Amino acid sequence: MSEGGNGNGLVQLTAKDFKSDQEVRWCPGCGDYAILNVLQGFMPELGLTRERIVFVSGIGCAARLPYYMQTYGMHSIHGRAPAIATGLAVSRPDLSVWVVTGDGDALSIGGNHLIHSLRRNVNLKILLFNNKIYGLTKGQYSPTSELGKVTKSTPMGSLDYPFNPLSIAIGAEASFVARAIDTDKKGLTEVLGAAARHRGSAFVEILQNCNIYNDGAFDFVREEKGNRIYLESGAPIRFGAEGEKGVVQDVDGSARVVDLGEGGEDGLLVHDAGQREPSLAFALSRITFETDGAVPLGVFRSVERPVYDDLMSEQLETARERSGEGDLETLLHSGDTWTVES
Amino acid sequence: MSEGGNGNGLVQLTAKDFKSDQEVRWCPGCGDYAILNVLQGFMPELGLTRERIVFVSGIGCAARLPYYMQTYGMHSIHGRAPAIATGLAVSRPDLSVWVVTGDGDALSIGGNHLIHSLRRNVNLKILLFNNKIYGLTKGQYSPTSELGKVTKSTPMGSLDYPFNPLSIAIGAEASFVARAIDTDKKGLTEVLGAAARHRGSAFVEILQNCNIYNDGAFDFVREEKGNRIYLESGAPIRFGAEGEKGVVQDVDGSARVVDLGEGGEDGLLVHDAGQREPSLAFALSRITFETDGAVPLGVFRSVERPVYDDLMSEQLETARERSGEGDLETLLHSGDTWTVES
Amino acid sequence: MIRFAGDSGDGMQLTGDRFTSETAVFGNDLATLPDFPAEIRAPAGSLPGVSGFQVHFADHDILTPGDQPNVLVAMNPAALKVNLGDLAKGGTVIVNTDAFSDRNLQKAGYATSPLDDGSLSDFHVHAVSLSSMTIEALKEVDGITSREAERSKNFFALGLMSWLYNRPIEGTLGFIETKFGKRPEIAEANTRAFKAGWNYGETSEDFAVSYEIAPAKLEPGRYRQISGNSALTYGLIAASKLSGLPLFLGAYPITPASDVLEQLANMKHFGVRTFQAEDEIAASGAALGAAFGGSLGVTTSAGPGIVLKSETVGLAVTLELPLIVVDVQRAGPSTGMPTKPEQADLLMVMFGRNSESPVPVVAASTPAGCFDAAIEAARIAIKYRTPVFLLSDAYLANGSEPWLIPDVSALPDISTEFATSPKDGDVFLPYKRDAETLARPWAIPGTPGLEHRIGGLEKEDKTGNISYDPENHDLMVRLRAAKVAGIAADIPELEVDDPDGANTLVLGWGSTYGAIGAAARRVRASGRKVATAHLHYLNPFPRNTGEVVRSYEKVLMPEINLGQLKMLIRAEFLVDAVGYNKVRGRPFRAAELADAITALVDS
Amino acid sequence: MIRFAGDSGDGMQLTGDRFTSETAVFGNDLATLPDFPAEIRAPAGSLPGVSGFQVHFADHDILTPGDQPNVLVAMNPAALKVNLGDLAKGGTVIVNTDAFSDRNLQKAGYATSPLDDGSLSDFHVHAVSLSSMTIEALKEVDGITSREAERSKNFFALGLMSWLYNRPIEGTLGFIETKFGKRPEIAEANTRAFKAGWNYGETSEDFAVSYEIAPAKLEPGRYRQISGNSALTYGLIAASKLSGLPLFLGAYPITPASDVLEQLANMKHFGVRTFQAEDEIAASGAALGAAFGGSLGVTTSAGPGIVLKSETVGLAVTLELPLIVVDVQRAGPSTGMPTKPEQADLLMVMFGRNSESPVPVVAASTPAGCFDAAIEAARIAIKYRTPVFLLSDAYLANGSEPWLIPDVSALPDISTEFATSPKDGDVFLPYKRDAETLARPWAIPGTPGLEHRIGGLEKEDKTGNISYDPENHDLMVRLRAAKVAGIAADIPELEVDDPDGANTLVLGWGSTYGAIGAAARRVRASGRKVATAHLHYLNPFPRNTGEVVRSYEKVLMPEINLGQLKMLIRAEFLVDAVGYNKVRGRPFRAAELADAITALVDS
Ligand SMILES: Cc1ncc(C[n+]2csc(CCOP(=O)(O)OP(=O)(O)O)c2C)c(N)n1
Ligand SMILES: Cc1ncc(C[n+]2csc(CCOP(=O)(O)OP(=O)(O)O)c2C)c(N)n1
Ligand code: SF4
Ligand code: SF4
Ligand SMILES: [Mg+2]
Ligand SMILES: [Mg+2]
């Protein structure tokens, strides 16, 4: 049950209830379909009636998603969804507000709104569909594309070192950070559930295949399940087809993948998403396919922190307690007044 | 000597050569004066003639600085200095380009340009004057103001959790990150030197006192020297009036301050700014007055990474090698052409 | 009218003299009233020790040194106490906070500090650490003690006032040179203090011009003094109450709009949510998001910030959601002159968005008028489901005037109805319009059965589904335009003040209202005939506007820009209106306007 | 005119038939030319096995099925090979990439794939994985194999073409129902494939309308086919060469402007630096930074991105630095209809900035004309040290026409001189203006002795120091305006085409050029008189514009907006110009324009 809602009685909805009457218009084979399905399947778990849920998106292929959800929705402008959603969530704490965005939408034009909504800990669930490319505009590189990427706008290879979406989110004081794969129904559903339960900003990176402009970008973990490092709080971080690998921490605080030797799980890093200090989550975010040949999935960080929306509501209450409900007449007559006789 | 320039012969300039004829117009007592003095004193160390140096700023009290430097300068628009400076630096690799910005300018409206210039590793020296307040607009809270801060725009206290400028820079893949204090001439000069020597983006946070709207915000480290943790690569991290404290690393990768016991320096964290993995620098960035009662200063991170400007120049050269210097005639006649007879 | 007041030892007479000279050089008419204490040197800090100097200066003939000063510079609590009573309501007080020690307060007979206890709430108070800033500025002057340095604070104050009123400073610099030439360290100290004061004014963005012209005769009733930004704040609060919608303000600080944010932040007991955003884009975005959720969404800024909101306003146009966008105009282009007024954002708010993107525009004309303008902007936004621009400027914002406090029960009802859950079987059509207003339903999240999606892509008429159909696009473009144009039927006609049947019309808008009125009085006093009219609605125009402008032979349009409204009027009504345009970052002088009108009337 | 071509088994005739029916329903006149192979079923993939179907449709009378198709849908290499020769230069080719296997290429007699070897560089090629996308789309249809699924690809192609030409689809959906009713899984498959094709067109933003009208008679010389965006790219490269300034492009991808970025990214051997920025603000900021450093700074976008550049353009106005801002207009407001053309950003580029912020505006009128327009925009920017807007639109951008390749040596010299180090004792004045152009010196970093600071605050005349002086501000506002207005003396006069001495003038701008010309021909052919003129400069207007518009009794202004240029012309010249305005996201039809002109001429 999400804490975003007030849980007004039992609601028995199914995935079908969350399908809108609009035809889904992504390219056949696009990873967005898988995400949409999981999301529609997950929605009933929120335990909210549909009118209490709002999807806000920017612009991009991913950003079309709200049209397909039988909830309230806004397909807004490029990069601005977190700002718009902030106004909505802050003024309507009774709603469950979700932001759907792409790697370009969230990290290129919208980077500033994203990091500010994270530091404020606004009660938003932010789903970033990372396909490492600009899909809608036909295949230019994005801020998550790897250095040297050849695309329409970089015929000789891109020059910009990419962002690591999780590192930047953690650097921006995010209270909840997670990662999942489009086609990994179980993993994605779990992460969505954790995000929904977290009060405050929840940032979820979803690795998504764009089969038209960047096909196979995540095959190393989408197809090769042995490269998935599922993080579980309280457990030593272990993975591989036979659980033959693990993650340890170096003296300098960085984390890296090792082959399990004789010692078994001894010395493996024990995950703790609830740790207040973000250094562990940050170190884990640095484990990538490029550095370690494997990718952590699941919840990296989930800590409680005062929620912007709540704090604001509290100030309003306090102010009313102190001064009473504002009265217009009194306000207009405040300060010195004088009378002109007729 | 900066690598930003080509060092054309010996240049013998002094601080005075870098004072412009414009009257300095900050409030009496403002920390900006101290920074300006150190900067003017440092400039000759660049070993560049004045015309090769450019200061670009946004808007704010800090952003007035370019007017006072007898170099080229642009006082641009709020938050956009990193973007403008990027165009200048990338197109003119012969120049030494400095960005001067405030906590509002850099981290509020300009957050996105800042993080993108850092990840690209554009050859910019970015000096962020952090006074934890909006000075020029008369004292509203800024993205670095502490939670609960009472200001003109937050009479009941601010609700937003602040950014840690260094954490966000490191999360944004910065290759050079440092911190200094306005009035600490030696420390600031050293950091400026290191930044200038670093090829690529160098991000420097300077703790600056705004005596009008946020007086004393940094007294705990500006006045109390015992709370300064000077970082030195290769040395165990030790500080305090008598060197009685140090920094250790916890099992979870986070760093914290301890009192030196019997063991002396044993077990203390040894600083290494050149470490490729940013986890250590990140952990150090989390040590603050609030968490540990002390503040690390100096160079947190300084690693070499290809520089955007250089990569671009190389592509231009490669293209010319491959295709020869572009010829307009040839270009216009490329593809199929046909002739209409008269 | 300014009064300098301080301790006898504070050099107030010297200061007043210098200011007078500067002012005379500047070309203003003036009159002065020095006012020393009886004793040569009364005890420092005491009430009798207060010395004052009043200067009345203006751009027209002055007959007296004035009764009520508008600005009081008080160097200590005693000076404040003695002089405050004379100050006009809404006047400006500049105090030297350093002198407000407990001891000095006591000497002046204050139990609590008037700076903290709210007793100055009717005035614009600028609390300035005159003494300590002076000492700091003089730190590097050799040969003077910090006690001596402190003495130069009158020059700091003079520098600040000289900046505020744009006085030429060469005279004072020369005067210091001559007068203190024998003690170069004192000359140096006074020069530095003077410049530091000037620079402080410039840097702190804390000062701006003040509104001068108040209506001549006052109707009976209860009055208070109010500045434009306060009236605007109150108007927004009133709109929230009158509409029954909670107010959500998204704003990013900027001169001269910041204090609307700051004042609204003090109104949390009215259920007001203020969100200081990371930038103007987010500020407007959040306000729009709140409007989607059923709040009265407001965003406030000045020109350099408004330009960043254009994209969001464009989205609001196509989403057809209410949004109030307040532009407190200042001199530009770009950063321009932050504290100075200008009326040059009109065409930006009209046209500054991609494609056909019509937005109603309402403009306030007086400080108190900001109250009604805010309610009216809200009324239109709510009723027509559209963003609305509300234009004020630095002159209105910081200026103040007596205000006949309105009767709350007489304020308009601007409430609206949200769409409600459809009856069984009914399909909800988010873009089906009200036949009269052409407004679409406002269906807020939380309403069962109205789940729907809206966005920035073109929408099919009625259903709101994405549509690329050519004829539908043309239809929607025209519907959006017709909705805004139709507001003309719902606003008052343009009123003309034409007592004598003139053939020349002076047509204005915004803060030139006072100056035009004063100028017209002068012109009429000279026996000439002139009509005046003032537009409070700039888009759409009142329905009789064409009729009015066409019924005069000559139309003069004074604007603090290069002729923006003039262009709109000429294009729409094909009348050969001529402009009177000065873009100096300050209000018109009645005299110059009167000259311009006279010239046209006589031509 | 479209030709569908594929293997005999690919269902091309059926596809063509359906498209024809849709087109007939749509109301177009049309003619078709089916073209089957002689054999009933030639070997799959072979040249003789190719089956084709050509449809010529238009908004006017059609006499033949047409000679050269403009669009070729090629389902395999053989179909491409057979039909490519007929295709008009600059035509569009949609190929099913899945069929371009080595084997099929061999069968068609291709040594290398024409998709990769550059042999299609004269055409717009859309490489679409028709087969695999069809299979993917049909994944969930029960009862059909993937082989069977693949057969539905003709319906995918039909869906895509139907989307591209906005055909009504109900007919085809009904047809499928009827025709395949007995095999519901096939009906389902075809329906899904059809819709998937339609959706693909809509989602991928890869398609847009194409330019149709080419000049009637061609001057002698060497020609090539060129699209508007390519011509614009070439024009920018030429401007860089002609000025001797390295080109710096700051851009953020957006339809329909992205391929200027993409093409310039291929021009690194011309010393071109392309910077894909994080957003449009940074893109324009970087271009301005590069301009400060002495580059030819360019930034390109479409309306929703241009609106974000306004703040930077405002800074460029006050810094007085050259900057070229290209707006490839598309239908709005807000996100609007990304692939569709419109002319509705004119007032935004004119006025979309705070305060008085004048910027010259140049507009291209034909695809090839984008070349000259780019050079001209650069010339003005460089010579006058000002940002310049260059307007194109989606119709010009993607449309193409034959282009008489200009003689490089005949192109204008647009070089400039940077300020040089001052002689000893001379003070450098960054805002001292050239007496003729009013341009200030361009003093780039690296020049000893010219160290100076510029910024967004108001500047003192000549020195460029910060100034809040009222008269100085008024002066600077007027100087900036005068500089831009003065460009009128430096651009060609407005040319009028009036063979018969008409009393009606049709005045246009931008991409309506072709349609207006064609319409005028029709009107004249009907024995009526009409004059035409086309504005290539929208700010300032050519110096004779007033004279021209005032010399006609009636002025008609066709615009794909609600009358934006009309407003400017009416305001400036007080002529009662009337508009012909359709905002459908597509070009005017010559026929409708001819009707409108005729009506006005006859009135
Ligand atoms: C202001 C603005 N700039 C640019 C665009 C064009 N644009 C639309 S989506 C997009 C990027 C899409 O990339 P991403 O966010 O990764 O989404 P994806 O399509 O890959 O899901 C761009 C550049 C726009 N619509 N608006
Ligand atoms: C687009 C825009 N928005 C807002 C402003 C107003 N403004 C100027 S500086 C500033 C913040 C200054 O804070 P900071 O960057 O911390 O600099 P400081 O004055 O503290 O040195 C603001 C909000 C502006 N000039 N332009
Ligand atoms: S372009 Fe890529 S991301 Fe967009 S719908 Fe197609 S496959 Fe999906
Ligand atoms: S307001 Fe603060 S930061 Fe600005 S000049 Fe004054 S003391 Fe310095
Ligand atoms: Mg993407
Ligand atoms: Mg600050």
Side-chain angles (χ1 to χ4, degrees), chain D residues 359-374:
Chain D
V359 178
V361 183
V362 173
S365 306
T366 63
C370 291
F371 180 81
D372 307 292

Side-chain angles (χ1 to χ4, degrees), chain A residues 25-32 61-62 131 133 135-136 208-214, chain D residues 200 203-204:
Chain A
R25 294 186 172 185
W26 289 304
C27 303
C30 176
D32 289 346
C61 294
N131 55 13
I133 201 86
L136 188 69
Q208 174 243 329
N209 194 39
C210 166
N211 54 314
I212 299 297
Y213 296 111
N214 202 18
Chain D
Y200 176 74
T203 306
S204 78

Side-chain angles (χ1 to χ4, degrees), chain D residues 4-16:
Chain D
F4 294 93
D7 214 40
S8 308
D10 285 346
M12 289 299 100
Q13 302 304 321
L14 179 67
T15 309

